[in-house]
Amino acid sequence: LKACKKQVSFTMPHGDFSDISGFFCGALGVAALYDATLFYKPLGPLLPFFDGEPSPDGVTALQFLGSVLMFLWLVLFVNRWNPVNGPVASLATAGISAKSALIGYGMDSGELKLRPWYVVSAVMALATLHLMFNHNPMMTSKMLAEKEAKRAAKKAAKNK
């Protein structure tokens, strides 16, 4: 048998803010799935997401939210954002950002207290800006053909 020396490379860009916000959602999702009562406990200087004692219904809702957050992690990490789907997705992250801030503000009767809701709001606001204005270019068939031609020429030169 002949050994295969072909290298596989993945050219999908990673490390941008959609990945960071995706991992943020993934971390919240794992926490909600692992122990939803964590959302009722303070975290360092942050007050808890929710005041009071966790109810069975609240824990169940948080566990479901954990699975949705895991989905959001995968979408933010895997998808290649372009001028069409990036701005559309930014509408959803803007909604998450706004609602998170409003929940935190409403919980404390209009008094601004340090809660994780504002962290979620800030991360999603930055994700919104990233998806809206820092997406990847839309690849046309002409651009893809040129890219393939360059790759084929490079491979042919290498095999000489």
Side-chain angles (χ1 to χ4, degrees), residues 14 17-30 33 65-79 81 96 124:
H14 280 295
F17 200 79
S18 64
D19 293 344
I20 294 167
S21 58
F23 280 113
F24 177 79
C25 291
L28 284 177
V30 167
L33 291 170
L65 176 64
S67 62
V68 174
L69 287 166
M70 296 300 287
F71 171 78
L72 192 54
W73 163 50
L74 295 173
V75 168
L76 288 168
F77 183 73
V78 173
N79 200 30
W81 302 105
I96 294 168
M124 290 295 115

